[in-house]
Amino acid sequence: MVKGKGMLFVLLVLVLCYLLSFLAKTGTAAWFVSETEAKGSLVNAVTEDLISVSSTQVSCENGQAQVKVTITNLYEIELPIQLQEIRHYLLPGETLSEVITTPNSGLVNEIQIPLSVFNHYIEEMIEIPINCESNEELLELEEEDAMETGYRNNDSDDETHTQHENE
């Protein structure tokens, strides 16, 4: 009987070790099955999501054009901005206004200013149209064009009259 009890004790110890080893293997067997499904998309932010940029021509004198550039932070966090050589950190809702002077030869009708936002995440050129001609010069050019058009119309009328007379 002692032999039978010893065998039974060994058998119970082996079963207990087997059950304990099964419980120790957490994460390897699933008792319950559940399922989750989700759909979404990831879209990169564009300039209009982060900042608002506006620009106007201030003056154009002595071969130099001055433009005012205004940048407003529309995002919820602080954004590092670099406008030409100007570096600034814009807090949410904060606005940066800078007047930038650039040389103008009179042949250029647009100024391009480099803008970098969020440590070069956005790099683009702000294109600002400029007009450095005075109103008097524009009027003189318009009068010359009108006079040239009038001369051309008169010449064409003479040609049509002579053609009809010859027929």
Side-chain angles (χ1 to χ4, degrees):
M1 188 137 176
V2 174
K3 195 175 186 187
K5 286 185 182 182
M7 285 293 262
L8 185 61
F9 180 74
V10 170
L11 185 62
L12 286 174
V13 169
L14 287 175
V15 169
L16 186 62
C17 287
Y18 175 74
L19 289 175
L20 288 175
S21 69
F22 181 72
L23 291 176
K25 297 179 183 180
T26 58
T28 59
W31 291 94
F32 301 101
V33 177
S34 66
E35 186 174 314
T36 304
E37 184 177 326
K39 293 182 182 180
S41 63
L42 181 63
V43 179
N44 287 338
V46 294
T47 306
E48 292 79 24
D49 295 336
L50 299 176
I51 59 173
S52 169
V53 179
S54 63
S55 59
T56 57
Q57 179 179 342
V58 175
S59 69
C60 193
E61 299 171 345
N62 302 328
Q64 292 190 348
Q66 289 186 336
V67 292
K68 181 178 181 181
V69 179
T70 305
I71 301 172
T72 303
N73 182 358
L74 302 175
Y75 207 55
E76 297 110 17
I77 62 172
E78 181 180 27
L79 293 177
I81 303 278
Q82 181 175 352
L83 182 67
Q84 269 188 339
E85 302 301 320
I86 302 164
R87 293 176 188 247
H88 188 74
Y89 287 89
L90 285 179
L91 296 172
E94 185 180 6
T95 300
L96 169 70
S97 292
E98 289 291 329
V99 176
I100 298 173
T101 304
T102 60
N104 183 19
S105 62
L107 301 174
V108 179
N109 59 359
E110 180 178 84
I111 296 175
Q112 294 185 345
I113 300 172
L115 172 66
S116 176
V117 181
F118 213 43
N119 297 328
H120 302 285
Y121 178 75
I122 295 176
E123 285 191 50
E124 57 186 49
M125 298 295 267
I126 300 173
E127 297 174 352
I128 305 167
I130 59 170
N131 184 6
C132 286
E133 297 176 355
S134 68
N135 290 337
E136 293 174 9
E137 291 174 350
L138 288 174
L139 290 174
E140 288 175 8
L141 289 173
E142 288 175 1
E143 288 175 6
E144 288 176 11
D145 287 341
M147 290 173 58
E148 288 178 9
T149 307
Y151 289 138
R152 289 186 196 144
N153 287 342
N154 289 340
D155 292 340
S156 62
D157 289 341
D158 292 339
E159 289 176 9
T160 55
H161 288 297
T162 54
Q163 287 177 355
H164 288 295
E165 291 173 3
N166 290 339
E167 293 175 355

